Amino acid sequence: MTGDETPSTDVTDTDGTTRGPEAAARDAPAAATDGGTETTTIDPWGSSTIADYRKLFEEFGIEAFDEILPAVPDPHYLMRRGVIFGHRDYEPVAAALSNDEPAAVLSGFMPTGDPHIGHKLVFDEIIWHQQQGADAYALIADLEAHSARGMSWDEIDEHAESYLLSLLALGFDPEAGTLYRQSQNRELQDLAFELGSNARFAEFSSIYGFDGETSVSHMQSVVTQMADMLYPQLVDEPKPTVIPVGPDQDPHVRLARDLAVRMRFFKVSRAYASFEADAAERELIGRAYEALTESAGDEETVRCEDAADWLETHAVDPEQTAARGSACNKLSEAGKEPVRPRVRFFHRHGPEDAFEAMINAIEGEKRVYEGHIDAFELDFTEAEALAREVEVDAGGYGFIQPSSIYHRFMSGLTGGKMSSSIPASHISLLDDPEDGYDKVKSATTGGRETAELQRELGGEADDCPVYELYAYLLANDDDGLATEVYEECVGGERLCGDCKEQAAVLMKEFLKNHQEKREDAKELLAEIDIDLDSNRRGPGGSH
Ligand code: SF4
């Protein structure tokens, strides 16, 4: 994992941020399309193209961030303005932050070049979560940079230092948080090894397109990234953990979530009878049970054959037809067995002692079967907590699936995508402030062909890289400024010359201030236990 081209353990060559003023950006998350020919591609090591952010919701199952925004305490401006547009399972993290319960944030940075304004998004996301009370982790993805990008160790050392200085200059608290390099973290390597035992080449091939030419070290760097995402839960206890990244890193997040489940000793599920039912069947059996209980009263026993009869005579959605058929078969075979809601603990793997400990830990009525236990007096949440507790006591990890939040890719100042290989398209955090000023002054805009047309039609702030600079960085926490620029632009009151001058001055001030803080941070960095002279050998890989 790791930020996006960002910062991340896998950085790609595009970088992200978005456009739009607050809600406008959230409601119209479309990136520029090339006459409708651009497609949405997600590639952790390539150049990802997001033609329409809404497709990430429909095709990849990423959830819209604005739906959870009200549950986030004191949300960061990147959240308020829709720059952070999506998430996977962020609810537990938001709840933990709200309730002062343990939570963690982690992202990584592949040190392939200088940190730039796209990376700043992830720096800010880490720091904000730290300020909200989360344990914060930032890592240097040096194994990935060496194996997947062929970076030399000298180059990696130099860039690693630069990333860390910017992170510290922006406010990361190293005493409260953790910084590490993949190559120097033995505990991480051990976890990666364990995770590798549960990962298969076939799925790497399917997810990442790995083939016979892929280096073994590149594959190893993938399991290392999986370990990164779970590492915060090794340190104290399992806890909700968020990984802030660009959407190009989503394949890593999904794999890490899968591996977190595969490592668990127990699977907890709901059940209604002694037989196995899948989620679709359970939903229908539950519906039959609720209906029959309601009509017959709690005292009356609902039997499996009654539930089968009910299901056969009640309408279901067309896509549930197959599940109804199989559920009815299972219910009919169970005959007079009572239907009773319960939670089920499957013993997937781990020591036999753990199964015995699970049996002993369950209070109230329970039934023990070969490989699973049914408990009748626990609700699902209690059961999950108990399974995790028993697992950790028995030597397991008890991982909670990591959550993620996704920010938009930033547009290049010269139009198109921001690219590290095109200096004019992006602003490095190390750029001379005067160069930063000049780059903003030379940026393309969403302005009209003439000042007259601009006054008449208004500018196109939603397609303007300069507006993005305000929304993502220059307006900082000042929503009033971001809104003012947007509204004056689209209302025709703002002309691009003055607008760019204002942005250029703000950029110059930001770079000057940031670089002074980087100088101050050198002393702090020297005190941190992280080796920036790795003294390693090896040519690195290229694939
Ligand atoms: Fe962009 Fe500003 Fe011009 Fe509007 S006025 S198009 S925000 S540069």
Side-chain angles (χ1 to χ4, degrees):
M1 89 71 285
T2 37
D4 55 25
E5 149 167 334
T6 28
S8 113
T9 250
D10 334 305
V11 177
T12 71
D13 280 334
T14 49
D15 179 69
T17 358
T18 185
R19 58 197 76 236
E22 303 118 66
R26 286 199 295 276
D27 295 344
T33 56
D34 180 15
T37 59
E38 255 186 67
T39 55
T40 297
T41 58
I42 292 187
D43 176 357
W45 293 287
S47 180
S48 293
T49 300
I50 310 296
D52 184 341
Y53 282 85
R54 284 168 295 202
K55 288 199 171 157
L56 296 175
F57 304 144
E58 295 158 13
E59 294 180 15
F60 297 96
I62 290 173
E63 298 171 85
F65 195 84
D66 57 358
E67 289 171 12
I68 196 179
L69 187 63
V72 180
D74 192 18
H76 190 272
Y77 70 79
L78 294 174
M79 297 171 173
R80 302 197 301 266
R81 294 177 198 159
V83 179
I84 294 171
F85 70 92
H87 73 101
R88 275 191 195 279
D89 197 21
Y90 188 66
E91 291 90 346
V93 178
L97 296 179
S98 296
N99 300 323
D100 280 335
E101 292 169 355
V105 58
L106 174 143
S107 199
F109 302 89
M110 189 154 69
T112 54
D114 290 338
H116 54 69
I117 55 175
H119 298 109
K120 180 180 178 290
L121 297 179
V122 180
F123 292 144
D124 286 344
E125 291 173 76
I126 294 172
I127 293 164
W128 178 84
H129 280 89
Q130 184 178 43
Q131 290 168 347
Q132 298 300 312
D135 295 336
Y137 295 78
L139 66 103
I140 298 298
D142 53 1
L143 293 181
E144 185 187 6
H146 191 63
S147 65
R149 294 294 179 87
M151 302 288 292
S152 75
W153 288 105
D154 284 346
E155 291 170 313
I156 289 170
D157 287 349
E158 178 192 336
H159 294 311
E161 178 179 26
S162 194
Y163 277 94
L164 294 172
L165 285 175
S166 277
L167 179 64
L168 293 169
L170 289 166
F172 184 88
D173 178 352
E175 286 188 17
T178 302
L179 303 171
Y180 69 85
R181 295 179 64 148
Q182 289 176 327
S183 63
Q184 294 166 4
N185 188 331
R186 178 54 202 257
E187 216 182 349
L188 178 84
Q189 302 288 326
D190 290 348
L191 175 58
F193 180 80
E194 294 298 330
L195 295 175
S197 300
N198 280 280
R200 299 287 173 263
F201 174 73
E203 67 187 333
F204 280 20
S205 178
S206 162
I207 296 169
Y208 302 115
F210 286 0
D211 57 24
E213 296 301 310
T214 305
S215 77
V216 173
S217 293
H218 194 175
M219 288 188 265
Q220 187 183 346
S221 81
V222 172
V223 288
T224 303
Q225 289 172 75
M226 300 301 111
D228 285 327
M229 284 186 268
L230 296 167
Y231 181 69
Q233 301 191 60
L234 273 191
V235 180
D236 297 315
E237 57 184 340
K239 60 178 86 80
T241 301
V242 61
I243 316 295
V245 284
D248 56 326
Q249 303 299 303
D250 187 54
H252 291 324
V253 172
R254 279 182 282 159
L255 179 56
R257 286 173 59 80
D258 284 351
L259 285 173
V261 170
R262 275 180 234 169
M263 299 299 284
R264 297 296 309 277
F265 286 2
F266 299 100
K267 176 189 173 192
V268 180
S269 65
R270 292 181 173 85
Y272 288 92
S274 59
F275 57 78
E276 290 302 313
D278 63 27
E281 293 164 347
R282 280 201 302 272
E283 200 265 319
L284 292 170
I285 296 169
R287 198 189 301 171
Y289 173 78
E290 295 296 333
L292 289 167
T293 305
E294 195 177 318
S295 63
D298 287 344
E299 302 305 312
E300 195 85 12
T301 299
V302 175
R303 300 193 182 275
C304 288
E305 60 190 14
D306 303 329
D309 289 344
W310 188 94
L311 272 180
E312 276 168 358
T313 54
H314 287 76
V316 295
D317 294 338
E319 64 272 18
Q320 293 178 305
T321 305
R324 175 169 67 176
S326 55
C328 285
N329 287 341
K330 290 176 181 178
L331 287 164
S332 297
E333 279 179 24
K336 295 203 177 299
E337 179 184 337
V339 179
R340 289 183 64 196
R342 66 197 74 183
V343 288
R344 180 162 293 166
F345 297 83
F346 285 99
H347 188 208
R348 293 173 133 150
H349 52 74
E352 198 54 37
D353 286 359
F355 189 57
E356 290 302 316
M358 192 75 251
I359 295 168
N360 293 331
I362 296 170
E363 293 186 351
E365 185 183 351
K366 58 193 159 192
R367 285 191 196 155
V368 179
Y369 299 86
E370 175 86 28
H372 78 263
I373 311 158
D374 283 359
F376 294 86
E377 296 175 31
L378 288 174
D379 69 27
F380 189 74
T381 304
E382 289 171 333
E384 282 205 310
L386 188 63
R388 181 166 290 110
E389 191 182 309
V390 169
E391 178 179 329
V392 171
D393 285 348
Y397 295 109
F399 289 133
I400 294 172
Q401 287 182 292
S403 310
S404 52
I405 51 176
Y406 302 99
H407 58 260
R408 292 163 182 264
F409 290 132
M410 215 169 200
S411 302
L413 296 177
T414 47
K417 292 197 287 193
M418 182 176 283
S419 169
S420 299
S421 57
I422 306 173
S425 78
H426 73 278
I427 293 174
S428 160
L429 296 178
L430 279 58
D431 273 349
D432 183 287
E434 289 297 341
D435 290 343
Y437 174 93
D438 291 342
K439 283 183 183 180
V440 177
K441 288 285 282 185
S442 304
T444 57
T445 73
R448 304 290 176 179
E449 287 168 10
T450 65
E452 193 177 27
L453 271 177
Q454 177 104 344
R455 289 194 186 92
E456 183 185 332
L457 301 173
E460 295 182 288
D462 285 332
D463 289 321
C464 178
V466 177
Y467 176 71
E468 282 190 12
L469 292 177
Y470 281 105
Y472 293 24
L473 188 154
L474 300 175
N476 205 344
D477 205 39
D478 184 353
D479 287 345
L481 174 58
T483 302
E484 177 184 304
V485 171
Y486 186 84
E487 291 182 349
E488 287 182 359
C489 171
V490 299
E493 300 156 46
R494 179 173 276 256
L495 298 182
C496 295
D498 290 345
C499 187
K500 287 206 286 187
E501 173 65 18
Q502 184 183 1
V505 168
L506 288 171
M507 183 60 77
K508 185 163 78 172
E509 286 171 1
F510 164 74
L511 289 172
K512 182 169 175 295
N513 183 271
H514 179 66
Q515 288 164 19
E516 286 170 359
K517 287 183 176 168
R518 278 175 56 97
E519 283 301 311
D520 296 343
K522 285 182 177 170
E523 207 172 308
L524 198 55
L525 183 58
E527 294 169 7
I528 296 171
D529 183 22
I530 189 166
D531 187 355
L532 294 169
D533 183 8
S534 52
N535 197 26
R536 292 170 76 105
R537 301 186 195 190
S542 57
H543 193 71

